[in-house]
Amino acid sequence: MKGLTDWLLGLHGAAVYGVVGLLVFAEDALFVGFVLPGETAAVLGGVIAALGHASLPIVLVVVIGAAILGDTVGYEVGRFFGPKLLSSRLVKGRSGRLDAARKQLAERGGTAVFLGRFVAFFRATMPALAGMSGMRYLKFLSFNAAGGIVWGTGVVLLGYLAGHSYAKVEKTFGRVAALAVAAIVIVVFVIWRVRRHRVERVAAE
């Protein structure tokens, strides 16, 4: 954990924007958000910005832009390759949750696209399902952009505030203590994500 934390906190400038942007984009564009840590990468982007290794405004633009662009690609992937995706091994074991996402989309339309941005599984699948459903792209884009802006801003600023806490601990107690705190925060965050994932799965079944 210490080595991983050191590596993440050691990223600077273009490397931060590239890694964070790629993970956020791939989470939505490739229908595999349940295995790619896009949200975690966005939070860590905010942490790194708080430490002065990257620009907060640029991280915000990268995360929001990658989220919107990734969803757009996911929409097109669903529009052209939807049936093949649904029959792939990647999603066969998640048919119950996919049915729940489809139900949300049918009942709420664009609102489901917006709200889906805040649920890990729906964030990965809703764009493709919207494309498969025949939703007009301009309607999808408007709700997608709104969700991307609110979500991207929220998660990056969450990381930014956490990063300031890290910096204060480092200044007062030293880097070792700060890394220990950062490691604990990451572990707690992961546990919270796992528990939330379980709750979402139960709710979708």
Side-chain angles (χ1 to χ4, degrees), residues 34-149:
F34 26 82
V35 296
L36 287 175
E39 187 175 59
T40 303
V43 171
L44 289 173
V47 172
I48 295 169
L51 298 178
H53 300 171
S55 165
L56 177 61
I58 295 179
V59 172
L60 283 168
V61 170
V62 167
V63 168
I64 292 171
I68 295 173
L69 182 60
D71 275 2
T72 296
V73 173
Y75 173 92
E76 294 297 333
V77 168
R79 192 159 72 95
F80 289 103
F81 305 106
K84 291 183 179 180
L85 282 173
L86 293 179
S87 62
S88 68
R89 288 184 298 175
L90 187 65
V91 298
K92 273 187 176 180
R94 299 175 170 87
S95 58
R97 304 195 71 199
L98 280 172
D99 288 341
R102 280 173 156 175
K103 182 179 179 181
Q104 289 289 323
L105 188 62
E107 293 178 351
R108 300 187 179 185
T111 304
V113 173
F114 176 85
L115 295 176
R117 164 57 56 184
F118 302 91
V119 180
F121 183 82
F122 289 175
R123 184 165 57 249
T125 58
M126 196 63 76
L129 292 176
M132 291 164 54
S133 72
M135 178 183 289
R136 290 185 301 108
Y137 176 69
L138 289 179
K139 178 180 180 180
F140 169 80
L141 179 62
S142 62
F143 285 95
N144 167 39
I149 291 170

Side-chain angles (χ1 to χ4, degrees), residues 27-38:
E27 179 182 43
D28 307 329
L30 305 180
F31 209 68
V32 290
F34 26 82
V35 296
L36 287 175

